[in-house]
Amino acid sequence: ARPSTPLPDALPAGAGGFSVLGVVQLSGGTAPYENRQAFESDVSRHQVPPGSEVYRKYAGESGGAWPGPLGDVYAWSIDSAEPKPEWHARFQGGATPAITRRHKSFFTVEMPSGADGLGAARVASTITYPAKPPAGRHSGRLMEPFIWPRIAPIWPSSTHFPHPVDSLHEEDDTRLVDVEDGRTCAEPPTLDSHGFELCRSPCVATDLDDAAQLEAYLAQTARLVQRATRADLVVPFHHVRIDTARGIR
């Protein structure tokens, strides 16, 4: 953006007002930081220094209890994408894409489609699945002792797991996959074939601030998941609501 002038909430393609200097990629991990010292010593990767607004949001006050106010903090990093994707060259020399403000300093960037734009770039990400357990073991997740008291009231009773706890098998199967629009696939992805599936279910709630409607929404979600997965039991818990317009998470 221009140094002395903030960007407006929306700009059409080619309007200028800012420059595309590079491409940043965010990467995350599956293991949380064990303590505050480990989080702070990794600042060169995550770029969240003590005293910053983002630090206080995730880690709380320096020297305070760990984990922070939002729970476990997972390792993530910000790096420059090298080599830059092919479409980056399109925005050199003053050319700019259309942008719309989402929340504060976050904007939605409308990239051009086709061979001259993002359509020519390959986008990949990682998906983590529970690994298939060996014979006699059962897929599950073990909780750290300090976490259990915080979630025990909303977690299903252990009577729903009729096997010895030591038979749990906790192993992740992480795979690099190409990111595409699954709605355009010749054969739609399914849970059995791809591990994910697009299910349509009109929402019964119109106001998630209403406790009764929220409960109805969670019950509807549980029925949808149970029908799609053929699970014996589905328990919705620890839901997260994100409303960028109101700054709610």
Side-chain angles (χ1 to χ4, degrees):
R2 289 168 290 186
S4 59
T5 306
L7 287 170
D9 289 340
L11 282 174
F18 65 98
S19 301
V20 180
L21 300 180
V23 181
V24 173
Q25 59 186 7
L26 303 178
S27 60
T30 59
Y33 290 102
E34 294 183 359
N35 50 52
R36 187 177 300 277
Q37 181 180 2
F39 177 64
E40 293 182 352
S41 65
D42 206 22
V43 67
S44 62
R45 291 183 60 216
H46 54 63
Q47 298 294 310
V48 181
S52 66
E53 182 178 350
V54 177
Y55 180 97
R56 286 190 292 271
K57 175 180 178 180
Y58 290 99
E61 297 299 329
S62 182
W66 187 264
L70 297 181
D72 289 330
V73 180
Y74 289 82
W76 58 287
S77 59
I78 304 176
D79 299 297
S80 296
E82 296 293 346
K84 294 180 176 64
E86 297 176 5
W87 52 262
H88 178 261
R90 180 184 178 93
F91 298 114
Q92 301 309 294
T96 55
I99 59 173
T100 305
R101 189 184 305 274
R102 291 182 55 194
H103 179 61
K104 294 185 177 180
S105 60
F106 293 92
F107 287 81
T108 296
V109 180
E110 298 180 21
M111 303 297 295
S113 59
D116 291 333
L118 188 59
R122 175 180 177 267
V123 179
S125 184
T126 56
I127 295 181
T128 301
Y129 301 93
K132 184 177 181 179
R137 303 292 297 277
H138 304 86
S139 181
R141 184 70 70 185
L142 297 175
M143 294 290 175
E144 294 290 342
F146 71 89
I147 296 178
W148 180 251
R150 293 156 51 188
I151 65 173
I154 56 175
W155 198 263
S157 169
S158 60
T159 58
H160 295 300
F161 184 73
H163 309 286
V165 174
D166 58 8
S167 70
L168 283 175
H169 179 260
E170 183 178 11
E171 180 183 353
D172 291 333
D173 181 4
T174 302
R175 305 188 183 192
L176 182 67
V177 298
D178 289 337
V179 178
E180 300 177 358
D181 186 352
R183 292 167 293 187
T184 63
C185 295
E187 296 184 5
T190 67
L191 287 171
D192 292 331
S193 63
H194 291 75
F196 61 91
E197 182 176 341
L198 175 62
C199 298
R200 300 189 183 279
S201 178
C203 183
V204 298
T206 58
D207 181 9
L208 292 179
D209 285 327
D210 181 273
Q213 292 194 45
L214 177 59
E215 288 300 318
Y217 172 75
L218 294 177
Q220 180 189 21
T221 302
R223 291 192 297 270
L224 173 64
V225 173
Q226 189 167 31
R227 184 169 63 250
T229 62
R230 303 182 295 277
D232 294 329
L233 175 71
V234 174
V235 180
F237 72 97
H238 192 54
H239 64 277
V240 176
R241 180 184 176 190
I242 299 177
D243 187 340
T244 56
R246 297 167 59 188
I248 295 176
R249 180 171 186 224

